[in-house]
Amino acid sequence: MSNLEDLYREVILDHYRSPRNRGELETPPAHRVEGFNPLCGDEVTAYLLVDDGVLTDIKMTGHGCSISQSSSSLMSAAVKGKPIEQVRALITTFKKLMTVHESSIESTDSAPLQDVRSLGELAALQGVVKFPVRIKCATLAWNTLNQGLDELDATP
Amino acid sequence: MSNLEDLYREVILDHYRSPRNRGELETPPAHRVEGFNPLCGDEVTAYLLVDDGVLTDIKMTGHGCSISQSSSSLMSAAVKGKPIEQVRALITTFKKLMTVHESSIESTDSAPLQDVRSLGELAALQGVVKFPVRIKCATLAWNTLNQGLDELDATP
Amino acid sequence: MATGQSVTSFDPRLVRADTPALARIINGRPITYLDSAASSLPPRPVIDAMSRHYERQHANVHRGVYQTANESTQSYEGAREAIARFIHAPDGAEEIVFTKNATESFNLLAKSWGAKNLGVGDVVLLSVMEHHANIVPWFQLRDAVGIEVRFIPVGDDYRLDLSNIEELMKGVRLVSVTAMSNVLGTVTPLQELARIAHEHGALIAVDAAQLVGHAPSNVVDLDVDFFMFSAHKMLGPTGLGVLWTRRDILAEMPPFLGGGGMIADVSTSGYVPAKGPTRFEAGTPPIAEAAGLSAAVTFLEGLGMQNIAQHDRDLTRDALARIDDEFGGRVRIIGPRDTEQRGGVISMDVEGVHAHDVAQVLDQFGVCVRPGHHCAKPLMKRFNLTATARASFGPYSLVSDTDVLIEALNDAVKLFG
Amino acid sequence: MATGQSVTSFDPRLVRADTPALARIINGRPITYLDSAASSLPPRPVIDAMSRHYERQHANVHRGVYQTANESTQSYEGAREAIARFIHAPDGAEEIVFTKNATESFNLLAKSWGAKNLGVGDVVLLSVMEHHANIVPWFQLRDAVGIEVRFIPVGDDYRLDLSNIEELMKGVRLVSVTAMSNVLGTVTPLQELARIAHEHGALIAVDAAQLVGHAPSNVVDLDVDFFMFSAHKMLGPTGLGVLWTRRDILAEMPPFLGGGGMIADVSTSGYVPAKGPTRFEAGTPPIAEAAGLSAAVTFLEGLGMQNIAQHDRDLTRDALARIDDEFGGRVRIIGPRDTEQRGGVISMDVEGVHAHDVAQVLDQFGVCVRPGHHCAKPLMKRFNLTATARASFGPYSLVSDTDVLIEALNDAVKLFG
Ligand SMILES: Cc1ncc(COP(=O)(O)O)c(C=O)c1O
Ligand SMILES: Cc1ncc(COP(=O)(O)O)c(C=O)c1O
C-alpha cells in the first residue's frame, strides 16, 4: 500500500478535513470564479481580493474528493498575501510539478525537484502524479485561480 | 463444379438468352405491375391481360441476373393462357419449391418432388434452393405476378 | 477448462472460470470486478466468436454472393434472430434494429418516432432516476420541436413515486422509463406503467440496459412498445446496441441516419428508404460484434436468466446486510433495502470519504467499483449527492467478492478516520 | 510464423501469412479475397489486440478510477492519438471524433455542422461518383432545412469533369467528395478541389473511406476541412468510424446524439454539452474496437503507406492489362485505364453475363468479388449500368489472386457462351 500513502499524505488528509481559507468574500470588491470538472463532478469556487498587485485575500468553497479539496486549501494558504506575479509563478511551478513524469521525481538532481522544494507544504501533492487520473483533481483549484487572475487582468 | 451446373441448367441459360413473351402490352386493357429487388437491383415488369377469369396474355420486361430473368421467362410461358385459379396454384407450388430444404429435394419420395414433376420446364429452377441468396432472384417474377393478380382482384 | 457451451446449470464459479479478465492480478491481488453495471466482462465463447469471425469468414454483409459474405450475413441476421428470441419479440427478427449502443437506440427513438409523432404540447414522461441516455435525447427533441419533458419523482424509499401519476399523465404521448436504475438498483413496475400509459393512449419505452443481462426479458408479458439496450452489459461486446419495437410501429418510423444499406433507391434528385429494420442501419454494421452478441445470448440462455436473477438477489441481500453490520451508518446505501424488485447494484455514500477516494483505496485491493454520478445527475441532485461509489454484480460474482469489498472499505474508512 | 509487428519492409506474402482469414478453403480451393473495398481482412495483431482487451482489461472508459478502467481509457484515448498521427491532424487527438462508421461520420457532419451552418439557398456540392454515405445525409438535410444538393459530373474518362466548376460553385458552402471512388477506382484531385472550395469561401469534406487503408493521408497537405472514414476498410474492426475536423470547427459544432459521456451537466430542466470530441460520443463507445484500430494503424505504419499504394498500382496495372489481353472487349473495365490517380478497384461489366452470375461462378473458384451497385446508384445510372462485378486489392493481395480471377472469369464467359 506504499503507493496509496504517497497519494494520501497526512498533510493532504489534514487539509481535506480542515480546509484553510474556506468561505466567501463579498463581490465586489472580491472577484468570484468557478471551476468544474465535468468528468468527476468536482467543484471549486475562489473569491479573490486583489489590491495594488497583491492577492490580499482569498477564500475557497467547493466540494469533491480529498485531492481536489486539499489542493484548493493548500493553494489558498500558499498564495494568500502574495504579489500576483509570485502567484502566477507558483501556478506555473505547480502545474509543471503535475506534468512531471514519475521517474524524474525519484531522481534527486532534477530541476523539477528544485521546484518541489520551493513549494513547501504543497509538495505533499507530488504523489498525485503517480495516479494520472487524479491529476485533474489536483489542478482544478489552480486552473480556477489562473482563470480568475486572467479575468481580473481583462477588466480595467 | 457440379453445384454450378445445378444452378445454371441449360434450360435456364436458354430462357436467359432468348426470353419468351418479352415486351409490353397496351394498358389498358392490360394491367401493368412492377417488381423490384432493392438488394441486387433486379427488376421485372409484367403486363397481364385477363379475360373472363383467364390470363389470356402476358408480357414481361426487366433486367437482372440470369436467374431472375429466366424465371420471368419460364413463368410467362407456364402461365400464359391458363385460368387465374391455375395460375395462383402454380405460384403457390413454385414458391413452395423455393422454400423446400435442400435435403428433401434429394430424397425421392417427398411430396415437394411430386410438385416439381408437375412443374415441367420450371423444375429447372429447383437447383436455386442450393444457393439461398439467389432464391430472391427466382421468386421476383412470381411475387410480381401475384401482386398483379391481387391488384386485379381489388379493382372492380 | 470449462467452456461456455457446457454450462447448463448455473454455477457462478464456472462462469468465472470462463471469464478470462477475472484471472487478472491487480496490485498483487486477484481482481475483484464489481462494475458490471458499467460494462460486463465477456466470457471466452463471446471473445472467441468474434475472433473466429475475423479469422474465418470476415466480409461485409448483404449484397455479397460469395461464401464468406453469405456466412457473415447469416451470422449477422442470426444475431437478430437470437435477440428476438431472447426478448420474445412477437414478430421475430423483423422487429430488431441494431444500433451502436443503447444511447443510439434512444436517439433513434426520439429523432425518428419522436420527431414524426410529437410536437408542441405533447409530453414525454421520464423519471428522475433515468440515465442521461434516456434524458438528453428528449431535451434535444424538446429544443427541436417543442415537446414538454416531464419527470416522475422518486420517493425517499428510492422507488418511483406514482401517487400523483394521473396528474402527471396529462398530455403524455410517451412514457420512457428505466427497467432498473443503474444507481439505486430499483426495479420499476413496468407492467403497471405500461397499463397506465396505454390507458391514457400513450406508448411506453423501456430502458432495459440494466435488465437484459440480469433477468428474463419478455416484451409481450411486459406489454411495452419500445425496448432498448446494449450488448456490452449482457456479456457481449462494445459497439452494439438494440432497439426493439412492434413491427407496425417500426414500419411507420421515418429513417434516422442516412447512407448505404438503408435505401431502396438513390438518384441525383433524392432517395427512397428501405423497408424493415435495415432502414435504420446505415453503413457497414457491427458485424463481428453481432457474432459476439449471438454467443452472449447462447451463454446467458445456458445459465438461465431466472438463475442469474436469483444469484443477483442472493449476493445483494448478503452484501447489504454485511455492509450494515460492518459499518453501521458510516456507509450509507443509496437504494432500496429490500431485495424484491431490486437488482445487484449497490451505491454507497461513505461518510467523510468522497466516492473517488473510496474507489482509489479500493483499487489498491484490486476492487473495481465506479465512483461518480453514473450518468444520472438529476437523481444525484434529488438525493443531494454529487457522487456515489457503486458496486455491481455479474453472473461471475461470488460472495468472496463482497468479502474483499468489505475488507477494502474498512481500509478506506480507517484512512480517512 | 510472421507477426504483424515484425513486418518492417513491405512484403505482401508476410501480410498474407499474418491474415488468418486467407487460410480459408472455399469449394476446395484457397480463398481468393478480392473484396477489400467492401471490407478488409484484419491481420492477427488486430484480432489479438481486441481479444486481449476483453481478456485482460475490459472496463467502461472515463470516470473510472480502478486500474483496468484506466487501462481501457488509455487504450481508447491512445487510439485517438494513433489516428491523429496517421492522418497528420494538426492539433492531434483533440480533433478526432470516433463514430460507428464512415456513414455515421457523414451524418454527424450534415446534422451537426450542416444543420447549424447551412440553410435555404446554400449549396452542398457532391459528385456523381459518391457513395450513398455522402449523398443520403445531404438529401436528409435538404428535406429538413432546404439546402440545395448539387453534383459534379463524371466524364467518359471516369474522372470528375471540372470543366464547368466555376458555374457549379455558385452558392456552394461545402464541397463534399470522395478521395477515391469505390466503384471506378478513380482518385480525385483533392488539393485542386480544396483550393477551388477555399477560393469560393467554402469548406471541403473528404470521404476517405477508400483512401486511408491504401495510401498516405495527410489532412494538412491536402488542405481539407473534414475527413471521414471507417476502421474496417483499413485492416481494423467493424463498429468504428472516424470524423476529423479542425479544432476550431469542432469547437463550434453543436451536439449530435445525446446521452451519457457527451454532457457537462444535466438537470430536470436541460443539459449542457461537454467540450471537445466527447461532445459527439454519446454512450459507451467502441472500446475494444479502438484497441483494434490502434493495432491496425501500427500494422499499416509498419508496412508503409507508400509501399501499399505502390503495391496496389502494380497489381492494378497487371490486372487491367491481363483482363484486356484475355477477354478483349468482352470484359469491359468501368474505370480509368491508366494507373496514375487510380486505386486498386476494378469494376467489370461482362458482356452477356450479369454481375450476380459472374460473382456466383467466381465463388465456385473461391474468388470473392462483389456484384451490385456498390452503394453508388447515381454513378451506375450515369454509365447506364445496374451492377458491376468488382474486384479490389488489399496489402495481402498477390498477382496469383489475379491468376485465379482470370481463370474463373474464363469459366463464367464460357458458361454463358
Ligand atoms: C467510398 C465509400 N464511402 C463511404 C463508405 C461507407 O463506409 P461504412 O459502410 O463503413 O460507413 C464506403 C464503404 O462502404 C465507401 O466505399
Ligand atoms: C440504465 C442505463 N441506461 C442506458 C445506458 C447507456 O448504455 P450505453 O452507454 O451502452 O449506450 C446505461 C449504461 O451506461 C444504463 O446503465
Side-chain angles (χ1 to χ4, degrees):
Chain A
M1 308 289 120
S2 70
N3 265 343
L4 211 53
E5 279 155 21
D6 271 358
L7 183 65
Y8 296 122
R9 308 241 172 115
E10 206 33 65
V11 183
I12 289 178
L13 294 178
D14 176 47
H15 275 262
Y16 178 50
R17 294 195 196 100
S18 325
R20 321 296 197 265
N21 303 303
R22 190 154 183 95
E24 305 184 359
L25 293 176
E26 205 179 327
T27 54
H31 180 72
R32 180 179 182 280
V33 58
E34 241 181 79
F36 180 59
N37 184 341
L39 267 175
C40 60
D42 286 2
E43 275 176 39
V44 150
T45 304
Y47 296 83
L48 312 175
L49 195 66
V50 176
D51 192 18
D52 203 16
V54 174
L55 184 59
T56 53
D57 202 1
I58 180 168
K59 292 268 188 214
M60 310 293 300
T61 64
H63 54 79
C65 68
S66 60
I67 304 302
S68 71
Q69 301 306 307
S70 65
S71 182
S72 164
S73 170
L74 282 157
M75 179 188 80
S76 70
V79 299
K80 187 167 161 181
K82 293 250 166 73
I84 298 300
E85 219 171 284
Q86 278 184 36
V87 174
R88 292 276 201 184
L90 198 60
I91 294 173
T92 307
T93 307
F94 184 80
K95 292 194 67 177
K96 214 194 289 166
L97 174 69
M98 286 297 120
T99 55
V100 157
H101 197 274
E102 225 175 294
S103 60
S104 60
I105 303 171
E106 273 150 20
S107 73
T108 42
D109 53 6
S110 63
L113 194 70
Q114 300 293 332
D115 289 339
V116 172
R117 291 211 188 99
S118 75
L119 286 171
E121 263 198 329
L122 280 175
L125 282 163
Q126 76 178 36
V128 173
V129 271
K130 295 191 185 171
F131 297 82
V133 265
R134 307 303 293 276
I135 292 175
K136 281 193 297 277
C137 311
T139 52
L140 176 61
W142 298 81
N143 288 331
T144 309
L145 173 61
N146 203 35
Q147 189 189 324
L149 296 180
D150 285 352
E151 288 168 6
L152 282 166
D153 271 359
T155 42
Chain B
M1 308 290 119
S2 71
N3 264 342
L4 212 53
E5 279 155 21
D6 271 358
L7 183 64
Y8 296 122
R9 308 239 172 119
E10 204 36 63
V11 183
I12 290 180
L13 294 178
D14 175 47
H15 276 262
Y16 178 51
R17 292 193 198 102
S18 324
R20 321 295 196 264
N21 300 304
R22 191 153 182 98
E24 305 184 359
L25 293 175
E26 204 179 327
T27 54
H31 180 73
R32 180 180 184 279
V33 56
E34 241 182 77
F36 181 57
N37 184 342
L39 266 175
C40 60
D42 284 3
E43 274 177 40
V44 150
T45 304
Y47 295 82
L48 311 175
L49 194 67
V50 175
D51 192 17
D52 202 15
V54 174
L55 185 59
T56 53
D57 202 2
I58 180 168
K59 292 267 187 213
M60 310 293 300
T61 64
H63 54 79
C65 68
S66 60
I67 304 302
S68 70
Q69 300 309 305
S70 65
S71 182
S72 164
S73 171
L74 281 157
M75 178 188 83
S76 69
V79 298
K80 188 167 161 181
K82 292 250 166 71
I84 298 299
E85 218 169 283
Q86 277 184 38
V87 174
R88 292 276 201 185
L90 199 59
I91 294 174
T92 307
T93 308
F94 184 79
K95 291 193 69 176
K96 212 195 288 166
L97 173 70
M98 286 297 122
T99 56
V100 156
H101 196 275
E102 222 174 297
S103 60
S104 60
I105 303 171
E106 273 152 17
S107 73
T108 42
D109 54 6
S110 63
L113 195 70
Q114 300 293 331
D115 289 339
V116 172
R117 289 210 191 99
S118 76
L119 286 171
E121 261 199 331
L122 280 175
L125 282 162
Q126 75 177 38
V128 172
V129 272
K130 295 191 182 171
F131 298 81
V133 267
R134 306 303 293 277
I135 291 175
K136 282 192 297 277
C137 311
T139 52
L140 176 62
W142 298 81
N143 288 331
T144 308
L145 172 61
N146 204 34
Q147 189 188 324
L149 296 180
D150 285 352
E151 287 167 7
L152 282 165
D153 271 359
T155 42
Chain C
M1 248 300 170
T3 71
Q5 266 76 10
S6 70
V7 178
T8 50
S9 79
F10 177 66
D11 180 342
R13 283 161 309 180
L14 291 184
V15 185
R16 202 176 187 91
D18 248 1
T19 308
L22 290 173
R24 183 74 187 272
I25 303 295
I26 305 276
N27 293 321
R29 302 183 59 140
I31 193 169
T32 295
Y33 189 76
L34 290 169
D35 199 19
S36 292
S39 200
S40 52
L41 300 177
R44 171 62 55 208
V46 170
I47 302 171
D48 287 353
M50 290 186 281
S51 298
R52 221 166 30 238
H53 169 84
Y54 286 121
E55 284 164 9
R56 287 192 44 79
Q57 67 176 44
H58 179 63
N60 214 324
V61 294
H62 306 311
R63 259 180 297 275
V65 163
Y66 57 87
Q67 188 164 329
T68 53
N70 285 339
E71 289 170 3
S72 286
T73 303
Q74 272 166 29
S75 157
Y76 182 69
E77 295 302 328
R80 225 189 276 282
E81 278 159 30
I83 283 296
R85 186 179 73 227
F86 190 65
I87 66 170
H88 300 91
D91 277 316
E94 279 295 293
E95 301 184 330
I96 304 298
V97 177
F98 284 136
T99 60
K100 66 174 174 178
N101 52 28
T103 302
E104 189 192 350
S105 300
F106 274 102
N107 281 275
L108 168 53
L109 173 60
K111 288 156 198 183
S112 167
W113 182 87
K116 180 181 176 199
N117 293 290
L118 306 179
V120 177
D122 289 330
V123 178
V124 172
L125 184 63
L126 314 177
S127 90
V128 169
M129 64 171 79
E130 297 312 313
H131 187 279
H132 296 162
N134 187 23
I135 300 177
V136 179
W138 303 113
F139 282 140
Q140 292 182 322
L141 188 63
R142 178 191 68 180
D143 299 345
V145 308
I147 61 160
E148 183 191 332
V149 181
R150 200 178 283 163
F151 292 84
I152 304 172
V154 173
D156 289 338
D157 58 353
Y158 302 107
R159 297 197 179 273
L160 293 186
D161 174 1
L162 299 179
S163 58
N164 206 21
I165 190 71
E166 286 301 321
E167 189 62 28
L168 285 171
M169 281 301 297
K170 293 211 170 110
V172 169
R173 300 283 309 280
L174 180 74
V175 177
S176 188
V177 289
T178 189
M180 175 178 139
S181 160
N182 64 316
V183 179
L184 308 171
T186 305
V187 168
T188 55
L190 285 183
Q191 275 170 318
E192 183 182 352
L193 288 164
R195 187 183 46 74
I196 294 169
H198 294 152
E199 273 172 17
H200 289 78
L203 296 182
I204 180 164
V206 175
D207 177 353
Q210 295 292 338
L211 178 70
V212 282
H214 296 273
S217 293
N218 187 318
V219 294
V220 175
D221 284 358
L222 291 174
D223 193 22
V224 294
D225 304 296
F226 301 96
F227 206 70
M228 267 74 62
F229 53 98
S230 281
H232 72 93
K233 299 200 203 237
M234 51 185 287
L235 309 185
T238 54
L240 180 55
V242 175
L243 175 141
W244 166 85
T245 184
R246 292 200 319 267
R247 193 214 286 259
D248 58 328
I249 296 177
L250 199 66
E252 299 297 320
M253 282 167 59
F256 176 46
L257 305 184
M262 55 68 76
I263 59 101
D265 197 18
V266 179
S267 72
T268 50
S269 53
Y271 78 103
V272 182
K275 290 191 165 56
T278 55
R279 183 189 308 168
F280 307 100
E281 298 177 2
T284 302
I287 305 168
E289 290 80 354
L293 180 59
S294 280
V297 166
T298 305
F299 191 88
L300 287 170
E301 286 173 339
L303 302 181
M305 296 311 299
Q306 283 293 8
N307 297 332
I308 296 175
Q310 186 59 47
H311 178 61
D312 272 343
R313 252 192 312 274
D314 293 345
L315 288 173
T316 306
R317 183 180 303 110
D318 171 70
L320 290 176
R322 285 164 72 194
I323 291 169
D324 258 359
D325 283 358
E326 190 79 23
F327 304 103
R330 269 218 70 175
V331 175
R332 187 161 65 106
I333 303 295
I334 310 299
R337 300 312 307 264
D338 58 317
T339 52
E340 290 311 305
Q341 304 305 312
R342 188 200 201 293
V345 168
I346 301 182
S347 268
M348 297 172 286
D349 180 35
V350 181
E351 193 185 298
V353 196
H354 190 275
H356 276 86
D357 294 315
V358 172
Q360 190 79 64
V361 176
L362 266 53
D363 175 55
Q364 291 295 314
F365 293 76
V367 175
C368 310
V369 300
R370 192 152 292 247
H373 54 61
H374 315 297
C375 296
K377 291 197 91 173
L379 180 67
M380 299 311 272
K381 192 150 189 211
R382 158 68 180 84
F383 290 105
N384 277 313
L385 294 162
T386 52
T388 70
R390 181 188 69 184
S392 53
F393 298 116
Y396 34 64
S397 299
L398 303 176
V399 171
S400 57
D401 291 326
T402 305
D403 298 345
V404 189
L405 171 68
I406 287 177
E407 177 192 354
L409 275 174
N410 253 314
D411 207 68
V413 167
K414 228 177 290 152
L415 181 65
F416 284 82
Chain D
M1 248 301 170
T3 70
Q5 265 78 10
S6 71
V7 178
T8 49
S9 81
F10 177 67
D11 180 344
R13 283 161 309 181
L14 291 182
V15 184
R16 202 178 188 90
D18 248 2
T19 307
L22 290 173
R24 184 74 187 272
I25 303 295
I26 305 277
N27 292 322
R29 301 182 60 138
I31 193 169
T32 296
Y33 189 76
L34 290 170
D35 199 19
S36 293
S39 200
S40 52
L41 300 176
R44 172 61 57 207
V46 170
I47 302 171
D48 287 352
M50 291 186 280
S51 299
R52 222 164 32 236
H53 169 84
Y54 286 121
E55 285 165 7
R56 290 193 40 80
Q57 68 176 45
H58 180 63
N60 214 323
V61 294
H62 306 310
R63 263 181 294 275
V65 163
Y66 58 86
Q67 187 164 329
T68 52
N70 284 339
E71 288 169 2
S72 286
T73 304
Q74 271 165 30
S75 156
Y76 183 69
E77 296 301 328
R80 227 189 275 282
E81 278 159 30
I83 283 297
R85 187 180 71 228
F86 190 65
I87 65 169
H88 301 90
D91 278 316
E94 279 294 292
E95 300 184 331
I96 304 299
V97 177
F98 283 138
T99 60
K100 67 174 173 178
N101 51 28
T103 302
E104 189 193 351
S105 301
F106 274 102
N107 281 273
L108 167 52
L109 173 62
K111 288 156 196 182
S112 167
W113 182 87
K116 181 181 176 201
N117 293 289
L118 305 178
V120 176
D122 288 331
V123 178
V124 172
L125 183 63
L126 314 177
S127 90
V128 169
M129 64 170 77
E130 297 312 311
H131 188 279
H132 296 162
N134 188 24
I135 299 177
V136 181
W138 302 113
F139 282 139
Q140 292 181 320
L141 187 64
R142 177 192 68 181
D143 298 345
V145 308
I147 60 160
E148 182 192 332
V149 181
R150 199 179 283 163
F151 292 83
I152 303 173
V154 173
D156 290 337
D157 58 354
Y158 302 106
R159 299 197 178 272
L160 294 185
D161 173 1
L162 299 179
S163 57
N164 207 19
I165 190 71
E166 285 302 320
E167 189 63 27
L168 286 170
M169 281 301 297
K170 292 212 170 109
V172 169
R173 299 282 309 283
L174 179 75
V175 176
S176 188
V177 288
T178 190
M180 175 177 139
S181 161
N182 64 317
V183 179
L184 307 172
T186 306
V187 168
T188 55
L190 286 182
Q191 275 171 316
E192 182 181 352
L193 288 164
R195 186 183 48 72
I196 293 169
H198 293 151
E199 272 172 17
H200 289 79
L203 296 183
I204 180 164
V206 175
D207 178 352
Q210 294 291 339
L211 178 70
V212 282
H214 296 272
S217 293
N218 186 318
V219 293
V220 175
D221 284 358
L222 291 174
D223 194 22
V224 294
D225 303 296
F226 301 96
F227 206 70
M228 268 75 62
F229 53 99
S230 281
H232 73 93
K233 297 199 204 239
M234 51 184 288
L235 310 186
T238 54
L240 180 54
V242 175
L243 174 141
W244 166 84
T245 184
R246 292 200 319 266
R247 193 214 284 261
D248 57 328
I249 297 177
L250 198 67
E252 299 297 320
M253 280 167 60
F256 176 44
L257 305 184
M262 55 68 75
I263 59 101
D265 197 17
V266 179
S267 72
T268 51
S269 53
Y271 79 104
V272 182
K275 290 191 165 56
T278 56
R279 181 190 310 169
F280 307 100
E281 298 177 3
T284 301
I287 305 169
E289 290 81 353
L293 180 58
S294 280
V297 166
T298 305
F299 191 88
L300 287 171
E301 285 172 340
L303 302 182
M305 297 310 299
Q306 283 293 6
N307 295 333
I308 296 174
Q310 185 59 47
H311 178 62
D312 273 342
R313 249 188 318 270
D314 293 345
L315 288 173
T316 306
R317 183 179 304 111
D318 171 70
L320 291 176
R322 285 164 70 194
I323 291 169
D324 258 358
D325 283 357
E326 190 77 25
F327 304 102
R330 269 217 70 176
V331 176
R332 187 162 64 105
I333 303 295
I334 311 299
R337 300 312 308 262
D338 57 317
T339 52
E340 290 311 305
Q341 305 305 312
R342 189 199 201 294
V345 167
I346 301 182
S347 268
M348 296 171 287
D349 179 34
V350 181
E351 193 185 298
V353 196
H354 190 275
H356 275 86
D357 294 314
V358 173
Q360 189 80 62
V361 175
L362 267 51
D363 175 55
Q364 291 295 314
F365 293 77
V367 175
C368 310
V369 301
R370 192 152 292 247
H373 54 60
H374 315 297
C375 295
K377 291 197 90 171
L379 180 67
M380 300 311 269
K381 191 147 189 215
R382 159 67 179 85
F383 290 105
N384 278 314
L385 295 163
T386 54
T388 70
R390 181 189 68 185
S392 53
F393 297 115
Y396 32 65
S397 300
L398 303 175
V399 170
S400 57
D401 291 325
T402 306
D403 298 346
V404 189
L405 170 68
I406 287 177
E407 177 193 353
L409 275 173
N410 252 314
D411 207 68
V413 167
K414 230 177 289 153
L415 181 65
F416 284 82

